[in-house]
Amino acid sequence: IQMKNKEISIDTFSVLNSVGWVLTILNIAGITQLPWSKIGAYWLALAAIGVILGLVTALIGWASKVGGHSAK
């Protein structure tokens, strides 16, 4: 079975996003006693991961375009 890196990244990101929502909802309900600053830091880190993955994907696409044209 072949899996592309992009598919794995999207699945991982979805799981991390779901964990963030669960933490937020459990904290609102009072089930967990996590400080809001830690939950905010988690969301900030998740946003940073999303930006980094987007930049890497864009750079790979740009590099393949430039590489494709220079090879001709």
Side-chain angles (χ1 to χ4, degrees):
I1 298 173
Q2 287 185 333
M3 296 182 86
K4 297 179 182 177
N5 288 339
K6 192 173 184 181
E7 291 173 2
I8 293 171
S9 297
I10 291 171
D11 291 341
T12 303
F13 190 77
S14 296
V15 169
L16 292 175
N17 191 26
S18 296
V19 168
W21 281 113
V22 168
L23 286 174
T24 303
I25 292 169
L26 289 176
N27 215 34
I28 290 171
I31 296 171
T32 61
Q33 299 298 321
L34 292 172
W36 283 107
S37 60
K38 289 192 177 190
I39 293 177
Y42 180 86
W43 281 111
L44 188 61
L46 194 59
I49 290 169
V51 168
I52 290 169
L53 287 176
L55 287 174
V56 168
T57 302
L59 286 173
I60 290 171
W62 176 77
S64 66
K65 266 188 174 181
V66 172
H69 290 300
S70 64
K72 288 183 180 180

Short mmCIF file of all heavy atoms in Angstrom, two decimals:
data_model
loop_
_atom_site.label_atom_id
_atom_site.label_comp_id
_atom_site.label_asym_id
_atom_site.label_seq_id
_atom_site.Cartn_x
_atom_site.Cartn_y
_atom_site.Cartn_z
N ILE A 1 0.86 -1.18 0.00
CA ILE A 1 0.00 0.00 0.00
C ILE A 1 0.90 1.23 0.00
O ILE A 1 1.78 1.35 0.84
CB ILE A 1 -0.90 0.03 1.25
CG1 ILE A 1 -1.82 -1.19 1.24
CG2 ILE A 1 -1.68 1.31 1.30
CD1 ILE A 1 -2.63 -1.35 2.48
N GLN A 2 0.66 2.11 -0.96
CA GLN A 2 1.42 3.36 -1.02
C GLN A 2 0.58 4.49 -0.45
O GLN A 2 -0.59 4.63 -0.78
CB GLN A 2 1.81 3.69 -2.45
CG GLN A 2 2.90 2.80 -3.00
CD GLN A 2 3.32 3.26 -4.38
OE1 GLN A 2 2.54 3.86 -5.10
NE2 GLN A 2 4.54 2.97 -4.75
N MET A 3 1.19 5.28 0.41
CA MET A 3 0.52 6.45 0.96
C MET A 3 1.38 7.67 0.69
O MET A 3 2.58 7.63 0.89
CB MET A 3 0.31 6.29 2.47
CG MET A 3 -0.61 5.15 2.83
SD MET A 3 -0.85 5.05 4.59
CE MET A 3 -2.18 6.20 4.78
N LYS A 4 0.76 8.72 0.24
CA LYS A 4 1.48 9.96 0.00
C LYS A 4 1.69 10.69 1.31
O LYS A 4 0.87 10.61 2.21
CB LYS A 4 0.71 10.84 -0.99
CG LYS A 4 0.56 10.22 -2.35
CD LYS A 4 -0.23 11.13 -3.25
CE LYS A 4 -0.43 10.48 -4.60
NZ LYS A 4 -1.25 11.30 -5.48
N ASN A 5 2.79 11.44 1.39
CA ASN A 5 3.08 12.20 2.61
C ASN A 5 1.98 13.21 2.91
O ASN A 5 1.67 13.46 4.04
CB ASN A 5 4.42 12.93 2.47
CG ASN A 5 5.58 11.96 2.54
OD1 ASN A 5 5.44 10.86 3.06
ND2 ASN A 5 6.71 12.34 2.02
N LYS A 6 1.41 13.80 1.86
CA LYS A 6 0.37 14.81 2.07
C LYS A 6 -0.85 14.20 2.77
O LYS A 6 -1.43 14.81 3.65
CB LYS A 6 -0.03 15.41 0.72
CG LYS A 6 -0.87 16.64 0.82
CD LYS A 6 -1.07 17.25 -0.54
CE LYS A 6 -1.84 18.55 -0.44
NZ LYS A 6 -2.07 19.15 -1.74
N GLU A 7 -1.22 13.00 2.39
CA GLU A 7 -2.36 12.34 3.02
C GLU A 7 -2.08 12.07 4.50
O GLU A 7 -2.93 12.27 5.35
CB GLU A 7 -2.68 11.03 2.31
CG GLU A 7 -3.24 11.23 0.91
CD GLU A 7 -3.39 9.93 0.17
OE1 GLU A 7 -3.10 8.86 0.74
OE2 GLU A 7 -3.78 9.98 -1.00
N ILE A 8 -0.87 11.64 4.81
CA ILE A 8 -0.50 11.36 6.18
C ILE A 8 -0.53 12.66 6.99
O ILE A 8 -1.03 12.69 8.11
CB ILE A 8 0.89 10.70 6.26
CG1 ILE A 8 0.82 9.31 5.62
CG2 ILE A 8 1.37 10.58 7.69
CD1 ILE A 8 2.15 8.64 5.43
N SER A 9 -0.02 13.74 6.43
CA SER A 9 0.00 15.03 7.12
C SER A 9 -1.42 15.51 7.42
O SER A 9 -1.69 16.00 8.50
CB SER A 9 0.73 16.07 6.28
OG SER A 9 2.06 15.71 6.10
N ILE A 10 -2.31 15.37 6.45
CA ILE A 10 -3.68 15.81 6.65
C ILE A 10 -4.35 14.98 7.73
O ILE A 10 -5.04 15.51 8.59
CB ILE A 10 -4.47 15.76 5.32
CG1 ILE A 10 -3.94 16.84 4.37
CG2 ILE A 10 -5.96 15.96 5.56
CD1 ILE A 10 -4.48 16.74 2.97
N ASP A 11 -4.13 13.69 7.73
CA ASP A 11 -4.72 12.83 8.75
C ASP A 11 -4.18 13.18 10.13
O ASP A 11 -4.93 13.27 11.10
CB ASP A 11 -4.45 11.36 8.45
CG ASP A 11 -5.21 10.86 7.23
OD1 ASP A 11 -6.19 11.51 6.84
OD2 ASP A 11 -4.82 9.83 6.68
N THR A 12 -2.87 13.39 10.24
CA THR A 12 -2.26 13.76 11.51
C THR A 12 -2.81 15.09 11.99
O THR A 12 -3.14 15.25 13.17
CB THR A 12 -0.73 13.84 11.36
OG1 THR A 12 -0.25 12.58 10.89
CG2 THR A 12 -0.07 14.16 12.68
N PHE A 13 -2.93 16.05 11.08
CA PHE A 13 -3.46 17.36 11.44
C PHE A 13 -4.89 17.25 11.92
O PHE A 13 -5.28 17.91 12.88
CB PHE A 13 -3.36 18.30 10.24
CG PHE A 13 -3.66 19.73 10.58
CD1 PHE A 13 -2.72 20.51 11.22
CD2 PHE A 13 -4.88 20.28 10.27
CE1 PHE A 13 -2.99 21.82 11.56
CE2 PHE A 13 -5.17 21.60 10.59
CZ PHE A 13 -4.22 22.36 11.24
N SER A 14 -5.68 16.42 11.29
CA SER A 14 -7.08 16.22 11.70
C SER A 14 -7.16 15.65 13.11
O SER A 14 -8.00 16.07 13.92
CB SER A 14 -7.81 15.30 10.73
OG SER A 14 -7.88 15.88 9.46
N VAL A 15 -6.31 14.70 13.41
CA VAL A 15 -6.29 14.10 14.76
C VAL A 15 -5.89 15.14 15.79
O VAL A 15 -6.52 15.26 16.84
CB VAL A 15 -5.33 12.88 14.79
CG1 VAL A 15 -5.09 12.42 16.22
CG2 VAL A 15 -5.90 11.74 13.96
N LEU A 16 -4.85 15.92 15.49
CA LEU A 16 -4.41 16.97 16.42
C LEU A 16 -5.50 18.01 16.63
O LEU A 16 -5.69 18.51 17.74
CB LEU A 16 -3.12 17.62 15.92
CG LEU A 16 -1.88 16.74 15.93
CD1 LEU A 16 -0.71 17.47 15.28
CD2 LEU A 16 -1.52 16.31 17.34
N ASN A 17 -6.22 18.35 15.56
CA ASN A 17 -7.31 19.31 15.64
C ASN A 17 -8.43 18.76 16.54
O ASN A 17 -8.97 19.47 17.38
CB ASN A 17 -7.83 19.62 14.24
CG ASN A 17 -8.77 20.79 14.22
OD1 ASN A 17 -8.72 21.65 15.08
ND2 ASN A 17 -9.64 20.81 13.25
N SER A 18 -8.75 17.50 16.37
CA SER A 18 -9.80 16.87 17.19
C SER A 18 -9.41 16.85 18.66
O SER A 18 -10.23 17.10 19.54
CB SER A 18 -10.07 15.44 16.71
OG SER A 18 -10.57 15.46 15.39
N VAL A 19 -8.14 16.55 18.94
CA VAL A 19 -7.66 16.54 20.32
C VAL A 19 -7.80 17.94 20.93
O VAL A 19 -8.21 18.09 22.08
CB VAL A 19 -6.19 16.06 20.39
CG1 VAL A 19 -5.58 16.32 21.75
CG2 VAL A 19 -6.10 14.59 20.04
N GLY A 20 -7.49 18.96 20.14
CA GLY A 20 -7.62 20.33 20.63
C GLY A 20 -9.05 20.67 20.99
O GLY A 20 -9.31 21.29 22.03
N TRP A 21 -10.00 20.25 20.16
CA TRP A 21 -11.42 20.52 20.46
C TRP A 21 -11.87 19.76 21.69
O TRP A 21 -12.62 20.27 22.51
CB TRP A 21 -12.31 20.19 19.26
CG TRP A 21 -12.28 21.27 18.24
CD1 TRP A 21 -11.78 21.21 16.98
CD2 TRP A 21 -12.77 22.61 18.40
NE1 TRP A 21 -11.91 22.42 16.35
CE2 TRP A 21 -12.52 23.29 17.20
CE3 TRP A 21 -13.37 23.30 19.44
CZ2 TRP A 21 -12.87 24.63 17.02
CZ3 TRP A 21 -13.72 24.63 19.26
CH2 TRP A 21 -13.47 25.28 18.06
N VAL A 22 -11.42 18.52 21.84
CA VAL A 22 -11.79 17.73 23.02
C VAL A 22 -11.25 18.40 24.29
O VAL A 22 -11.97 18.53 25.28
CB VAL A 22 -11.27 16.28 22.89
CG1 VAL A 22 -11.38 15.54 24.22
CG2 VAL A 22 -12.04 15.54 21.81
N LEU A 23 -9.99 18.84 24.25
CA LEU A 23 -9.42 19.52 25.41
C LEU A 23 -10.20 20.79 25.75
O LEU A 23 -10.49 21.07 26.92
CB LEU A 23 -7.96 19.89 25.14
CG LEU A 23 -6.94 18.76 25.16
CD1 LEU A 23 -5.57 19.27 24.73
CD2 LEU A 23 -6.87 18.14 26.53
N THR A 24 -10.55 21.56 24.72
CA THR A 24 -11.29 22.80 24.94
C THR A 24 -12.66 22.53 25.55
O THR A 24 -13.06 23.17 26.53
CB THR A 24 -11.43 23.57 23.61
OG1 THR A 24 -10.13 23.81 23.07
CG2 THR A 24 -12.14 24.88 23.80
N ILE A 25 -13.39 21.58 24.98
CA ILE A 25 -14.74 21.26 25.48
C ILE A 25 -14.69 20.71 26.89
O ILE A 25 -15.51 21.08 27.74
CB ILE A 25 -15.45 20.29 24.50
CG1 ILE A 25 -15.74 21.02 23.19
CG2 ILE A 25 -16.71 19.73 25.11
CD1 ILE A 25 -16.18 20.13 22.06
N LEU A 26 -13.72 19.82 27.16
CA LEU A 26 -13.61 19.26 28.52
C LEU A 26 -13.26 20.35 29.53
O LEU A 26 -13.72 20.30 30.67
CB LEU A 26 -12.55 18.16 28.55
CG LEU A 26 -12.92 16.86 27.84
CD1 LEU A 26 -11.75 15.89 27.88
CD2 LEU A 26 -14.16 16.23 28.45
N ASN A 27 -12.47 21.32 29.11
CA ASN A 27 -12.12 22.41 30.03
C ASN A 27 -13.31 23.32 30.28
O ASN A 27 -13.53 23.76 31.41
CB ASN A 27 -10.93 23.19 29.49
CG ASN A 27 -10.01 23.68 30.58
OD1 ASN A 27 -9.85 23.01 31.59
ND2 ASN A 27 -9.41 24.83 30.40
N ILE A 28 -14.09 23.60 29.25
CA ILE A 28 -15.30 24.41 29.42
C ILE A 28 -16.28 23.70 30.36
O ILE A 28 -16.90 24.33 31.22
CB ILE A 28 -15.97 24.71 28.05
CG1 ILE A 28 -15.10 25.67 27.24
CG2 ILE A 28 -17.36 25.27 28.22
CD1 ILE A 28 -15.55 25.85 25.80
N ALA A 29 -16.40 22.39 30.21
CA ALA A 29 -17.33 21.61 31.04
C ALA A 29 -16.83 21.46 32.47
O ALA A 29 -17.57 21.00 33.34
CB ALA A 29 -17.55 20.24 30.41
N GLY A 30 -15.58 21.82 32.71
CA GLY A 30 -15.03 21.70 34.05
C GLY A 30 -14.51 20.32 34.38
O GLY A 30 -14.20 20.03 35.54
N ILE A 31 -14.41 19.44 33.40
CA ILE A 31 -13.93 18.08 33.64
C ILE A 31 -12.42 18.08 33.85
O ILE A 31 -11.90 17.36 34.69
CB ILE A 31 -14.34 17.15 32.48
CG1 ILE A 31 -15.87 17.05 32.43
CG2 ILE A 31 -13.71 15.78 32.61
CD1 ILE A 31 -16.42 16.35 31.21
N THR A 32 -11.73 18.90 33.08
CA THR A 32 -10.28 19.03 33.25
C THR A 32 -9.99 20.36 33.92
O THR A 32 -10.79 21.28 33.90
CB THR A 32 -9.55 18.97 31.89
OG1 THR A 32 -10.01 20.05 31.09
CG2 THR A 32 -9.77 17.66 31.19
N GLN A 33 -8.83 20.46 34.51
CA GLN A 33 -8.43 21.68 35.21
C GLN A 33 -7.20 22.30 34.55
O GLN A 33 -6.34 22.85 35.23
CB GLN A 33 -8.12 21.35 36.68
CG GLN A 33 -9.29 20.80 37.45
CD GLN A 33 -10.44 21.79 37.54
OE1 GLN A 33 -10.24 22.98 37.72
NE2 GLN A 33 -11.67 21.29 37.40
N LEU A 34 -7.11 22.18 33.24
CA LEU A 34 -5.96 22.75 32.53
C LEU A 34 -6.06 24.27 32.48
O LEU A 34 -7.15 24.81 32.30
CB LEU A 34 -5.91 22.22 31.09
CG LEU A 34 -5.60 20.74 30.90
CD1 LEU A 34 -5.79 20.34 29.45
CD2 LEU A 34 -4.18 20.45 31.33
N PRO A 35 -4.94 24.95 32.64
CA PRO A 35 -4.97 26.41 32.48
C PRO A 35 -5.28 26.77 31.02
O PRO A 35 -4.83 26.09 30.10
CB PRO A 35 -3.55 26.85 32.85
CG PRO A 35 -2.88 25.68 33.45
CD PRO A 35 -3.63 24.46 33.03
N TRP A 36 -6.05 27.84 30.83
CA TRP A 36 -6.41 28.24 29.47
C TRP A 36 -5.19 28.63 28.66
O TRP A 36 -5.18 28.51 27.44
CB TRP A 36 -7.43 29.38 29.50
CG TRP A 36 -8.79 28.88 29.83
CD1 TRP A 36 -9.45 29.05 31.01
CD2 TRP A 36 -9.65 28.09 29.01
NE1 TRP A 36 -10.67 28.42 30.96
CE2 TRP A 36 -10.82 27.81 29.74
CE3 TRP A 36 -9.54 27.57 27.72
CZ2 TRP A 36 -11.87 27.07 29.23
CZ3 TRP A 36 -10.59 26.83 27.20
CH2 TRP A 36 -11.73 26.58 27.95
N SER A 37 -4.14 29.09 29.34
CA SER A 37 -2.92 29.46 28.62
C SER A 37 -2.30 28.25 27.93
O SER A 37 -1.76 28.35 26.83
CB SER A 37 -1.91 30.11 29.56
OG SER A 37 -1.55 29.22 30.60
N LYS A 38 -2.39 27.08 28.56
CA LYS A 38 -1.83 25.87 27.94
C LYS A 38 -2.67 25.43 26.74
O LYS A 38 -2.14 24.98 25.73
CB LYS A 38 -1.73 24.74 28.96
CG LYS A 38 -0.65 24.97 29.98
CD LYS A 38 -0.35 23.75 30.80
CE LYS A 38 0.79 24.07 31.74
NZ LYS A 38 1.32 22.90 32.40
N ILE A 39 -3.98 25.56 26.86
CA ILE A 39 -4.85 25.20 25.73
C ILE A 39 -4.62 26.19 24.58
O ILE A 39 -4.53 25.80 23.42
CB ILE A 39 -6.32 25.15 26.15
CG1 ILE A 39 -6.52 23.98 27.13
CG2 ILE A 39 -7.24 25.01 24.95
CD1 ILE A 39 -7.90 23.85 27.69
N GLY A 40 -4.48 27.46 24.91
CA GLY A 40 -4.16 28.45 23.89
C GLY A 40 -2.83 28.18 23.22
O GLY A 40 -2.69 28.33 22.00
N ALA A 41 -1.85 27.77 24.01
CA ALA A 41 -0.53 27.44 23.45
C ALA A 41 -0.63 26.23 22.52
O ALA A 41 0.05 26.18 21.48
CB ALA A 41 0.46 27.16 24.57
N TYR A 42 -1.48 25.27 22.87
CA TYR A 42 -1.68 24.10 22.00
C TYR A 42 -2.25 24.54 20.66
O TYR A 42 -1.78 24.12 19.61
CB TYR A 42 -2.64 23.10 22.69
CG TYR A 42 -2.91 21.88 21.85
CD1 TYR A 42 -2.05 20.80 21.91
CD2 TYR A 42 -4.01 21.81 20.99
CE1 TYR A 42 -2.28 19.67 21.14
CE2 TYR A 42 -4.24 20.69 20.21
CZ TYR A 42 -3.38 19.62 20.30
OH TYR A 42 -3.60 18.52 19.52
N TRP A 43 -3.29 25.42 20.69
CA TRP A 43 -3.89 25.88 19.45
C TRP A 43 -2.89 26.71 18.63
O TRP A 43 -2.86 26.62 17.40
CB TRP A 43 -5.15 26.70 19.72
CG TRP A 43 -6.34 25.84 20.03
CD1 TRP A 43 -6.97 25.72 21.21
CD2 TRP A 43 -7.03 24.97 19.12
NE1 TRP A 43 -8.02 24.83 21.11
CE2 TRP A 43 -8.07 24.35 19.83
CE3 TRP A 43 -6.86 24.65 17.78
CZ2 TRP A 43 -8.94 23.44 19.24
CZ3 TRP A 43 -7.73 23.74 17.19
CH2 TRP A 43 -8.75 23.15 17.93
N LEU A 44 -2.07 27.50 19.31
CA LEU A 44 -1.06 28.30 18.62
C LEU A 44 -0.03 27.39 17.95
O LEU A 44 0.36 27.62 16.80
CB LEU A 44 -0.38 29.24 19.61
CG LEU A 44 0.58 30.27 19.03
CD1 LEU A 44 -0.16 31.19 18.06
CD2 LEU A 44 1.22 31.08 20.14
N ALA A 45 0.39 26.35 18.65
CA ALA A 45 1.34 25.40 18.07
C ALA A 45 0.71 24.68 16.88
O ALA A 45 1.37 24.46 15.85
CB ALA A 45 1.78 24.38 19.13
N LEU A 46 -0.56 24.33 16.99
CA LEU A 46 -1.26 23.67 15.89
C LEU A 46 -1.35 24.59 14.67
O LEU A 46 -1.16 24.15 13.53
CB LEU A 46 -2.64 23.22 16.34
CG LEU A 46 -3.38 22.23 15.45
CD1 LEU A 46 -2.58 20.95 15.29
CD2 LEU A 46 -4.74 21.93 16.03
N ALA A 47 -1.62 25.86 14.92
CA ALA A 47 -1.66 26.84 13.81
C ALA A 47 -0.29 26.96 13.17
O ALA A 47 -0.17 27.03 11.93
CB ALA A 47 -2.15 28.19 14.32
N ALA A 48 0.76 26.98 13.97
CA ALA A 48 2.11 27.07 13.44
C ALA A 48 2.45 25.84 12.59
O ALA A 48 3.06 25.97 11.52
CB ALA A 48 3.12 27.22 14.58
N ILE A 49 2.04 24.67 13.05
CA ILE A 49 2.26 23.45 12.27
C ILE A 49 1.54 23.55 10.92
O ILE A 49 2.09 23.19 9.88
CB ILE A 49 1.79 22.20 13.05
CG1 ILE A 49 2.72 21.94 14.24
CG2 ILE A 49 1.74 20.97 12.15
CD1 ILE A 49 2.20 20.91 15.21
N GLY A 50 0.31 24.06 10.94
CA GLY A 50 -0.45 24.22 9.70
C GLY A 50 0.23 25.17 8.73
O GLY A 50 0.32 24.90 7.53
N VAL A 51 0.75 26.27 9.26
CA VAL A 51 1.45 27.24 8.40
C VAL A 51 2.72 26.62 7.83
O VAL A 51 3.02 26.76 6.64
CB VAL A 51 1.77 28.53 9.19
CG1 VAL A 51 2.74 29.42 8.44
CG2 VAL A 51 0.49 29.28 9.51
N ILE A 52 3.46 25.92 8.67
CA ILE A 52 4.70 25.29 8.21
C ILE A 52 4.41 24.25 7.14
O ILE A 52 5.10 24.19 6.11
CB ILE A 52 5.47 24.67 9.39
CG1 ILE A 52 6.02 25.79 10.28
CG2 ILE A 52 6.59 23.77 8.92
CD1 ILE A 52 6.57 25.32 11.62
N LEU A 53 3.39 23.41 7.35
CA LEU A 53 3.04 22.41 6.34
C LEU A 53 2.62 23.07 5.04
O LEU A 53 2.97 22.60 3.95
CB LEU A 53 1.91 21.50 6.85
CG LEU A 53 2.28 20.49 7.93
CD1 LEU A 53 1.04 19.74 8.40
CD2 LEU A 53 3.32 19.51 7.42
N GLY A 54 1.88 24.17 5.13
CA GLY A 54 1.47 24.90 3.93
C GLY A 54 2.66 25.47 3.19
O GLY A 54 2.74 25.39 1.96
N LEU A 55 3.61 26.05 3.93
CA LEU A 55 4.81 26.59 3.29
C LEU A 55 5.65 25.51 2.63
O LEU A 55 6.16 25.68 1.53
CB LEU A 55 5.66 27.35 4.32
CG LEU A 55 5.11 28.69 4.79
CD1 LEU A 55 5.96 29.25 5.91
CD2 LEU A 55 5.06 29.68 3.63
N VAL A 56 5.81 24.39 3.33
CA VAL A 56 6.59 23.28 2.76
C VAL A 56 5.93 22.77 1.48
O VAL A 56 6.59 22.54 0.48
CB VAL A 56 6.76 22.15 3.80
CG1 VAL A 56 7.30 20.88 3.16
CG2 VAL A 56 7.67 22.60 4.93
N THR A 57 4.61 22.62 1.51
CA THR A 57 3.87 22.16 0.32
C THR A 57 4.05 23.15 -0.82
O THR A 57 4.28 22.76 -1.96
CB THR A 57 2.38 21.98 0.65
OG1 THR A 57 2.26 21.05 1.73
CG2 THR A 57 1.61 21.46 -0.55
N ALA A 58 3.95 24.45 -0.51
CA ALA A 58 4.11 25.48 -1.54
C ALA A 58 5.53 25.47 -2.10
O ALA A 58 5.73 25.59 -3.32
CB ALA A 58 3.78 26.85 -0.98
N LEU A 59 6.52 25.33 -1.24
CA LEU A 59 7.91 25.31 -1.70
C LEU A 59 8.20 24.08 -2.55
O LEU A 59 8.92 24.17 -3.55
CB LEU A 59 8.87 25.35 -0.50
CG LEU A 59 8.99 26.70 0.20
CD1 LEU A 59 9.84 26.56 1.46
CD2 LEU A 59 9.59 27.73 -0.72
N ILE A 60 7.63 22.95 -2.16
CA ILE A 60 7.84 21.74 -2.96
C ILE A 60 7.18 21.91 -4.33
O ILE A 60 7.78 21.55 -5.35
CB ILE A 60 7.28 20.50 -2.23
CG1 ILE A 60 8.15 20.18 -1.02
CG2 ILE A 60 7.19 19.29 -3.16
CD1 ILE A 60 7.59 19.11 -0.10
N GLY A 61 5.98 22.47 -4.37
CA GLY A 61 5.31 22.72 -5.65
C GLY A 61 6.09 23.69 -6.50
O GLY A 61 6.26 23.50 -7.71
N TRP A 62 6.62 24.76 -5.89
CA TRP A 62 7.40 25.75 -6.62
C TRP A 62 8.70 25.14 -7.13
O TRP A 62 9.09 25.36 -8.27
CB TRP A 62 7.71 26.94 -5.70
CG TRP A 62 8.59 27.97 -6.34
CD1 TRP A 62 8.21 28.90 -7.25
CD2 TRP A 62 9.98 28.15 -6.11
NE1 TRP A 62 9.29 29.66 -7.60
CE2 TRP A 62 10.40 29.23 -6.92
CE3 TRP A 62 10.91 27.52 -5.31
CZ2 TRP A 62 11.71 29.68 -6.94
CZ3 TRP A 62 12.22 27.97 -5.32
CH2 TRP A 62 12.61 29.03 -6.13
N ALA A 63 9.36 24.33 -6.29
CA ALA A 63 10.61 23.70 -6.68
C ALA A 63 10.40 22.73 -7.84
O ALA A 63 11.22 22.64 -8.75
CB ALA A 63 11.25 22.99 -5.50
N SER A 64 9.30 22.01 -7.83
CA SER A 64 9.05 21.06 -8.92
C SER A 64 8.73 21.80 -10.20
O SER A 64 9.08 21.35 -11.29
CB SER A 64 7.92 20.09 -8.55
OG SER A 64 6.71 20.77 -8.41
N LYS A 65 8.06 22.97 -10.10
CA LYS A 65 7.79 23.78 -11.30
C LYS A 65 9.09 24.31 -11.89
O LYS A 65 9.34 24.21 -13.06
CB LYS A 65 6.89 24.97 -10.95
CG LYS A 65 5.45 24.75 -11.16
CD LYS A 65 4.72 26.07 -10.97
CE LYS A 65 3.27 25.94 -11.32
NZ LYS A 65 2.55 27.19 -11.15
N VAL A 66 9.92 24.88 -11.03
CA VAL A 66 11.20 25.45 -11.49
C VAL A 66 12.10 24.35 -12.03
O VAL A 66 12.72 24.49 -13.06
CB VAL A 66 11.89 26.22 -10.33
CG1 VAL A 66 13.30 26.63 -10.73
CG2 VAL A 66 11.06 27.41 -9.94
N GLY A 67 12.14 23.24 -11.32
CA GLY A 67 12.95 22.11 -11.75
C GLY A 67 12.46 21.56 -13.08
O GLY A 67 13.25 21.20 -13.96
N GLY A 68 11.16 21.52 -13.29
CA GLY A 68 10.60 21.00 -14.54
C GLY A 68 10.94 21.88 -15.71
O GLY A 68 11.23 21.40 -16.81
N HIS A 69 10.91 23.20 -15.53
CA HIS A 69 11.21 24.12 -16.63
C HIS A 69 12.69 24.15 -16.95
O HIS A 69 13.06 24.26 -18.11
CB HIS A 69 10.72 25.54 -16.30
CG HIS A 69 9.23 25.65 -16.30
ND1 HIS A 69 8.47 25.39 -17.40
CD2 HIS A 69 8.36 25.98 -15.31
CE1 HIS A 69 7.20 25.56 -17.10
NE2 HIS A 69 7.10 25.92 -15.82
N SER A 70 13.54 24.04 -15.95
CA SER A 70 14.98 24.13 -16.19
C SER A 70 15.50 22.85 -16.85
O SER A 70 16.54 22.85 -17.47
CB SER A 70 15.74 24.42 -14.90
OG SER A 70 15.57 23.35 -14.01
N ALA A 71 14.77 21.76 -16.71
CA ALA A 71 15.22 20.49 -17.27
C ALA A 71 14.96 20.42 -18.77
O ALA A 71 15.53 19.60 -19.45
CB ALA A 71 14.52 19.34 -16.58
N LYS A 72 14.10 21.31 -19.28
CA LYS A 72 13.76 21.24 -20.70
C LYS A 72 14.83 21.86 -21.57
O LYS A 72 15.55 22.72 -21.28
CB LYS A 72 12.44 21.96 -20.96
CG LYS A 72 11.29 21.16 -20.42
CD LYS A 72 9.98 21.85 -20.75
CE LYS A 72 8.82 21.02 -20.21
NZ LYS A 72 7.56 21.64 -20.49
#
